[in-house]
Amino acid sequence: MAKRHTNRVYDLESMFVRLEELVLANSGENEFEEVFKLLIAKLWDEKNTKTRRFKVRADNNETYSEVHALLREAERAWPGILEPGARPGLTPEHLQVCVEALSNHSILDSTFEVLDSFFEFMVSRAAKGTKGQYFTPRYVAELCVRMLAPHSTETVLDPACGSGGFLVHALNHVIKHEQLKGKLIANYCETKLWGFDIDDRAVRVAKALMVLSGDGKSNIIRVNSLLKEDGNSLLSTQSKDVSTLTVEDVMRTHRRRHKGFDIILTNPPFAGEVRERQMLDSYQVSHGKIRIERDILFLERCVELLRTGGRMAIVLPHNKFAAKEFAKVRSWLIQHCRILAVVGLGRHTFLPHTHQKASILFVQKRAERQAATIDENIYFALSEKDGKTSKGKLLLKENRTEDGPIWDRVDHDFDEIVTGFRTFCKQENIRLGS
Ligand SMILES: C[S@@+](CC[C@H](N)C(=O)[O-])C[C@H]1O[C@@H](n2cnc3c(N)ncnc32)[C@H](O)[C@@H]1O
């Protein structure tokens, strides 16, 4: 009898590498897409069928037909995870090898963290260094969530959601603090969590991870979050695509009387400049400029998307906090938001993806514009343990194994930072959620 594998992330990773060697590399198909489809077919099978259908059959063509049928069912049940009409791109012979390898693993027996790490492994292999396409380290996402303490009544947005890490951590936070169960979890995901990303694959991965952590209903939508409304808003939302659809279009369709998001948690891409005239002129921070860094536009856009009194955590490259050339951006920000906290992250935090040093900015949107010179206290903290080696590998606490929540395993100093921030908020009479 085939041995069932315990699901550690390295088991899944080594299975992927082996399949790559055996079939994927020579198949002419996109390796990520083929394994992704197989994982979704398998996940659907495990969740919904009593007798396992995702298994090798004597005839390769039969295996192929069954996997194809599972994909069609998954596509109907979880719209948007698979490309429309997805079918295995591998030949029945190659597919047989992959199904055999994968059928030894149980997806639902794996912890969410194992699957999350496996998706990260696959995405970063497929991205082959594409700038800005990496997962935010999960303990950093958790730090933001713990500091802003979302409540289940509050809407949460990530306008550059990638794999949806911030949303999953927000979900886990409210589940834990408010003991949400069953329908309440589904309702929270369906009405309160919003994730937008311009990249189709990021959207599909985020939806898949939401299926694994919630119940499959989520508002993860392909949108260029930087795009603002213009004359095109007269077009119906259905007739728009990613080149014209705006966050406002989406919210108008889904939520009447939407007055902005209660919480934004985000890590926009650090790299890249925007040069489109129309876009530059639609932002205050870039009006009249010939180009601007994309993260600065994200900062202004996020403030715009917050409701008055709403709070935000945004990860930004360190130069935005310190460099003289961004002084005007900082002064624009102070006029529109109260700066609650700045947390400096260690140099290794985003390795192996980028060497750039980053900090997290925590703000609350003001009701009215204030003078840029306003005198308010800010909580500053500098992390001295970034939880990674200089090669970007996770540094675990002593005696920790590979299992358990990443927050508990990784050698970071974020607990002290959260405690310090809570004390600061009490002293300053700043009200957060739960
Ligand atoms: C650093 S990644 C975010 C990672 C995410 N927090 C996670 O944990 O997976 C930045 C994301 O911004 C997305 N992005 C870049 N430009 C965008 C735009 N104009 N609108 C929406 N998303 C955008 C990229 O596709 C990428 O997924």
Side-chain angles (χ1 to χ4, degrees):
M1 204 171 92
K3 181 174 171 283
R4 279 198 99 68
H5 289 226
T6 53
N7 277 330
R8 297 285 177 85
V9 70
Y10 44 79
D11 294 325
L12 293 171
E13 286 175 10
S14 47
M15 175 202 67
F16 183 89
V17 172
R18 185 144 172 70
L19 289 180
E20 213 172 29
E21 287 162 6
L22 286 174
V23 290
L24 296 167
N26 297 320
S27 68
E29 296 295 328
N30 179 308
E31 297 169 14
F32 171 87
E33 293 297 342
E34 292 314 308
V35 175
F36 185 74
K37 278 183 269 185
L38 289 175
L39 284 174
I40 299 301
K42 174 118 175 69
L43 178 61
W44 174 254
D45 187 38
E46 286 183 20
K47 271 199 170 233
N48 295 286
T49 60
K50 287 210 173 67
T51 48
R52 289 285 80 91
R53 290 159 59 197
F54 190 99
K55 60 181 184 194
V56 281
R57 299 171 188 253
D59 180 351
N60 296 342
N61 290 315
E62 247 182 78
T63 309
Y64 186 98
S65 304
E66 199 58 62
V67 172
H68 187 200
L70 288 168
L71 285 176
R72 278 202 309 260
E73 290 163 31
E75 190 185 339
R76 271 198 298 276
W78 300 322
I81 292 191
L82 295 163
E83 282 172 339
R87 55 190 305 132
L90 299 172
T91 61
E93 292 72 30
H94 284 166
L95 190 72
Q96 185 87 323
V97 178
C98 295
V99 169
E100 182 168 19
L102 199 52
S103 56
N104 287 331
H105 295 264
S106 159
I107 296 187
L108 291 180
D109 285 350
S110 313
T111 63
F112 175 82
E113 305 217 344
V114 163
L115 295 167
D116 187 34
S117 304
F118 181 54
F119 273 104
E120 178 171 17
F121 168 82
M122 291 206 308
V123 168
S124 53
R125 268 177 104 89
K128 295 200 172 81
T130 314
K131 289 238 181 325
Q133 301 265 343
Y134 49 83
F135 288 18
T136 306
R138 293 336 194 191
Y139 53 104
V140 173
E142 177 74 20
L143 170 68
C144 298
V145 167
R146 286 186 184 216
M147 284 184 60
L148 291 190
H151 190 267
S152 64
T153 54
E154 296 178 303
T155 49
V156 178
L157 164 72
D158 183 349
C161 71
S163 61
F166 285 105
L167 302 176
V168 168
H169 281 261
L171 169 64
N172 290 340
H173 181 88
V174 300
I175 290 178
K176 184 169 163 205
H177 285 83
E178 298 173 43
Q179 278 91 45
L180 291 196
K181 290 202 173 68
K183 282 219 164 70
L184 289 179
I185 297 179
N187 185 48
Y188 175 73
C189 293
E190 213 177 329
T191 57
K192 299 293 193 271
L193 294 181
W194 296 84
F196 301 125
D197 202 287
I198 198 167
D199 183 69
D200 167 60
R201 187 162 59 199
V203 167
R204 289 187 285 116
V205 168
K207 277 175 177 277
L209 288 174
M210 288 304 288
V211 164
L212 288 164
S213 52
D215 82 329
K217 298 203 181 70
S218 57
N219 303 294
I220 312 279
I221 301 169
R222 188 166 178 221
V223 175
N224 178 350
S225 299
L226 293 178
L227 208 62
K228 299 214 197 178
E229 300 231 77
D230 60 9
N232 286 333
S233 55
L234 294 175
L235 295 176
S236 77
T237 302
Q238 278 83 357
S239 65
K240 292 189 172 191
D241 63 12
V242 73
S243 65
T244 46
L245 187 70
T246 63
V247 173
E248 286 78 3
D249 288 324
V250 174
M251 298 318 290
R252 229 188 338 265
T253 320
H254 290 81
R255 277 173 70 91
R256 274 199 261 144
R257 291 194 289 277
H258 174 72
K259 292 221 165 56
F261 292 90
D262 298 312
I263 295 182
I264 293 183
L265 301 161
T266 196
N267 172 193
F270 294 168
E273 280 186 343
V274 174
R275 290 165 183 261
E276 293 107 293
R277 182 76 275 143
Q278 202 182 351
M279 186 167 280
L280 292 173
D281 285 346
S282 65
Y283 282 80
Q284 293 177 28
V285 288
S286 58
H287 196 82
K289 290 189 185 275
I290 54 164
R291 59 168 185 268
I292 196 159
E293 289 170 35
R294 192 162 40 163
D295 46 30
I296 299 180
L297 292 193
F298 260 103
L299 179 64
E300 180 177 330
R301 183 68 167 136
C302 287
V303 172
E304 183 179 34
L305 293 170
L306 267 187
R307 71 159 167 82
T308 297
R311 45 204 201 281
M312 162 165 84
I314 180 167
V315 185
L316 290 170
H318 187 66
N319 61 355
K320 302 298 165 333
F321 298 84
K324 219 171 157 189
E325 61 177 302
F326 301 113
K328 276 201 177 144
V329 176
R330 292 193 291 273
S331 112
W332 176 91
L333 181 72
I334 292 169
Q335 291 169 47
H336 293 85
C337 294
R338 158 135 199 210
I339 314 293
L340 301 174
V342 176
V343 175
L345 299 171
R347 190 161 285 288
H348 299 148
T349 310
F350 287 87
L351 286 177
H353 311 292
T354 169
H355 285 271
Q356 232 169 337
K357 198 168 154 18
S359 297
I360 316 173
L361 173 71
F362 294 85
V363 303
Q364 184 154 38
K365 186 170 173 177
R366 298 188 193 284
E368 283 168 20
R369 200 171 165 155
Q370 296 278 344
T373 50
I374 193 163
D375 194 10
E376 288 165 335
N377 290 327
I378 299 175
Y379 174 75
F380 283 103
L382 196 58
S383 165
E384 287 170 346
K385 282 185 175 181
D386 47 24
K388 293 254 182 94
T389 66
S390 57
K391 296 235 163 21
K393 286 234 171 288
L394 284 179
L395 261 177
L396 300 186
K397 286 178 186 153
E398 254 176 57
N399 304 326
R400 287 303 305 201
T401 62
E402 296 275 333
D403 299 316
I406 199 157
W407 179 269
D408 298 338
R409 285 188 286 130
V410 173
D411 195 17
H412 59 70
D413 52 5
F414 292 173
D415 277 306
E416 293 155 49
I417 294 176
V418 175
T419 309
F421 181 62
R422 290 194 169 254
T423 309
F424 169 82
C425 289
K426 273 201 194 114
Q427 285 161 354
E428 294 283 315
N429 264 331
I430 296 168
R431 280 202 54 222
L432 300 174
S434 60

